[in-house]
Amino acid sequence: MTTDILRYAAFAHDPAGGNPAGVVLDASALDDAAMQAIAADVGYSETAFVTSRDGDRFRVRYFSPLAEVPFCGHATVATAVALGPGEHLFSTNAGEVPVLVDEAGTATLTSVDPHVSELATDDLAALLAALRWTGDDLDPALPPKVAYAGAYHPVIAVTSRERLADLDYDVPALTALMTGRGWTTVQLVFRAGADEFDVRNPFPVGGVYEDPATGAAAAAFGGYLRELGLAGGAATIALRQGDDMGRPSRITVRLDPEIKGVRVSGAAVPMVS
């Protein structure tokens, strides 16, 4: 049986930008091993698999080239845009994620409830060592924490854009640390303005050096900003990602005091075959 695999660039209007995602809209006949094999063959940071559908409710699972992940934002955006305009409800391993797609091909997901926890001193030291950074690189206004909105991401903010651009980490060391702590990516951040950030996301546990756009980490970062009082009750935050990789990605994060989840928006377009 042939499996139809769609390829989309998420968080971009140009297929040369954004984060590529594989999308399988009918994975009802695939077992775990088959989905993992497809994700490895596709080679993108994640491929989304719709394993069942009931009206506008979809069971969705996400696989990196190496393992299943509980939630993936950019593959959610890609899958929702592939499904077409309207309101969709994704049932993921992390919980239910509503997604609204407009006529222009922009998807807005609402994350599961976020939360923020402390980053242990020893873990911070190990993380900085793996990144080949030091405590002097850190922005004291944005303290290191672990943020969650469907997956766990340490948040590490630096004081200069140049430090963020100089990403050359110890792959085995960071992989071992992230695996041991259950972290999906590491959210590296530089604050470029009041509501504007440049971000990068190492993802060695998924078999990818770096993600060009990371919607799950964007949602977690929105929860981080809200919980630490670093963004207003109602705020719109612009994230730039992928520029250092040559795949510019633009992510919009919205905080609404009326809802616990974080809204993450972005476009998605088919990849050029």
Side-chain angles (χ1 to χ4, degrees), residues 47-71:
T47 295
F49 297 85
V50 179
T51 60
S52 65
R53 175 176 184 171
D54 182 8
D56 291 325
R57 183 186 183 92
F58 302 85
R59 176 71 174 105
V60 184
R61 296 174 66 184
Y62 309 91
F63 286 79
S64 78
L66 294 183
E68 184 173 11
V69 297
F71 175 67

Side-chain angles (χ1 to χ4, degrees), residues 70-164:
F71 175 67
C72 172
H74 86 276
T76 293
V77 166
T79 302
V81 171
L83 289 170
E87 297 182 7
H88 312 301
L89 181 62
F90 286 8
S91 176
T92 77
N93 287 358
E96 293 191 342
V97 177
V99 192
L100 176 65
V101 182
D102 66 19
E103 295 291 339
T106 295
T108 298
L109 67 87
T110 301
S111 77
V112 300
D113 293 354
H115 61 79
V116 178
S117 58
E118 295 298 321
L119 178 60
T121 301
D122 289 349
D123 287 346
L124 175 59
L127 186 50
L128 291 177
L131 291 169
R132 301 188 174 103
W133 291 358
T134 72
D136 292 338
D137 294 313
L138 301 183
D139 184 347
L142 297 165
K145 301 284 183 181
V146 178
Y148 171 88
Y152 289 95
H153 311 265
V155 177
I156 305 294
V158 292
T159 57
S160 75
R161 183 64 180 86
E162 291 74 21
R163 176 76 278 183
L164 187 67

Side-chain angles (χ1 to χ4, degrees), residues 152-192:
Y152 289 95
H153 311 265
V155 177
I156 305 294
V158 292
T159 57
S160 75
R161 183 64 180 86
E162 291 74 21
R163 176 76 278 183
L164 187 67
D166 185 21
L167 182 62
D168 178 25
Y169 65 85
D170 182 331
V171 174
L174 188 59
T175 302
L177 179 62
M178 294 174 67
T179 300
R181 299 297 180 267
W183 299 337
T184 299
T185 73
V186 181
Q187 179 83 328
L188 306 176
V189 176
F190 169 70
R191 190 167 207 161

